Amino acid sequence: DGGPSPFAAGLHAAHVAADARFRAWPALNDEATRHAVNAGRRYRLHLREEGGTAAGGDPTAALFSGGTLMGRFGLALAARRAVDRKEFFEATEFFARVRSHLKSESGTLVDAAGGHGLVGALAAVFKFEQFGRVQVHDPQRPKSFDAVAAAAAEVAPWAEGRVVHLPARLGEAPLPRGCAVVGVHGCGTLTDRIIDAAAEADARSIALMPCCYSQTAADAPEALRRALGVPLASDVHRTYRLEKLGYTVRWSAVPLSITPMNRIIIATR
């Protein structure tokens, strides 16, 4: 045979989910700043007062100051109270790690089970040359979806109209051929169904941050489940499966202070 896969050869060093530093928001690597901003709490992203500023002592406004596009997007979302802080920092740190790996033959990115569509909106804002269309697949369309889309269009006019909501469950309609697929915290076996749908569509890239590992790893070897625990065994099994489908797979992670379910699986071909 051809010997162990690159993933298997490096398994002893693959426990990257232990922790990671902030990339999208380096200031949050300072513990005091992180606590002041409440980065990991399910607490609405907002400014202390309308038009709040860093000079006014608002740590969130201070974090978003400086005039960067990401900072202006954060301010636009905060003004609309569109999403929780935890969701915002999960999405932006996830995107910071996967954006360079996202590619598509069709020019379409699918935000699977995307809810408010924040990851999709980030792609529309920051990867508009690669993705002319972003589809957020979710049977529910929360009010926050429109608020996120409006915030994106406010700071990046080129994003207007690029993000669309499709009220469909995975498997009800095929994904666009050769698309890119992202999924943040697909609960339990939802992550596996996203892999199924992406592989069926011959997706060129897949980036997933799994969540809630109950009823997962049923097909993984028992030895893996016993030695590694269900969460790690599940993601090892998913990685082998993606490699068998012809993908090159790597792992990354977002900071544990945002979420303990912080492992990211990135697959490209």
Side-chain angles (χ1 to χ4, degrees):
D1 69 47
S5 71
F7 175 81
L11 183 58
H12 69 282
H15 293 68
V16 297
D19 205 356
R21 291 178 63 80
F22 284 83
R23 292 187 191 173
W25 308 102
L28 296 182
N29 289 311
D30 175 72
E31 186 176 1
T33 302
R34 188 166 64 248
H35 285 299
V37 174
N38 290 306
R41 292 185 58 193
R42 287 201 174 278
Y43 177 61
R44 218 61 177 171
L45 182 68
H46 70 284
L47 303 177
R48 286 181 176 173
E49 57 185 42
E50 189 173 348
T53 65
D58 186 335
T60 301
L63 182 68
F64 295 157
S65 65
T68 66
L69 182 54
M70 185 68 87
R72 288 188 285 117
F73 187 35
L75 288 171
L77 289 168
R80 291 169 171 81
R81 295 177 175 255
V83 295
D84 288 346
R85 291 167 188 266
K86 182 177 186 293
E87 293 173 336
F88 174 77
F89 291 112
E90 277 177 353
T92 52
E93 289 296 327
F94 172 85
F95 185 71
R97 286 155 174 79
V98 307
R99 61 183 295 179
S100 64
H101 303 290
L102 296 176
K103 56 184 180 178
S104 163
E105 289 182 351
S106 64
T108 299
L109 179 136
V110 173
D111 189 352
H116 46 55
L118 182 51
V119 176
L122 287 165
V125 171
F126 292 96
K127 289 187 70 73
F128 58 93
E129 293 180 348
Q130 290 85 3
F131 301 114
R133 180 179 173 86
V134 175
Q135 296 179 184
V136 179
H137 285 235
D138 200 298
Q140 304 297 322
R141 178 174 175 149
K143 292 180 181 179
S144 55
F145 175 87
D146 295 306
V148 168
E154 177 186 318
V155 301
W158 56 86
E160 186 167 8
R162 287 179 186 254
V163 184
V164 298
H165 179 267
L166 296 182
R169 297 182 184 277
L170 285 170
E172 290 181 349
L175 303 185
R177 199 89 188 146
C179 63
V181 178
V182 296
V184 173
H185 282 172
C187 192
T189 58
L190 177 56
T191 291
D192 301 293
R193 298 201 300 276
I194 294 173
I195 292 173
D196 291 341
E200 180 67 23
D202 192 24
R204 308 312 293 167
S205 56
I206 307 168
L208 305 169
M209 187 156 65
C211 181
C212 303
Y213 288 84
S214 62
Q215 300 182 349
T216 63
D219 296 328
E222 184 177 355
L224 282 183
R225 297 199 303 271
R226 288 178 177 272
L228 304 179
V230 169
L232 186 55
S234 296
D235 290 339
V236 168
H237 189 65
R238 287 162 173 160
T239 298
Y240 275 118
R241 182 177 168 219
L242 285 162
E243 285 195 342
K244 287 181 179 179
L245 290 167
Y247 290 93
T248 298
V249 184
R250 55 182 58 82
W251 285 8
S252 186
V254 302
L256 275 170
S257 57
I258 305 174
T259 174
M261 304 288 183
N262 67 331
R263 187 179 295 111
I264 300 172
I265 301 171
I266 303 168
T268 57
R269 67 180 178 191

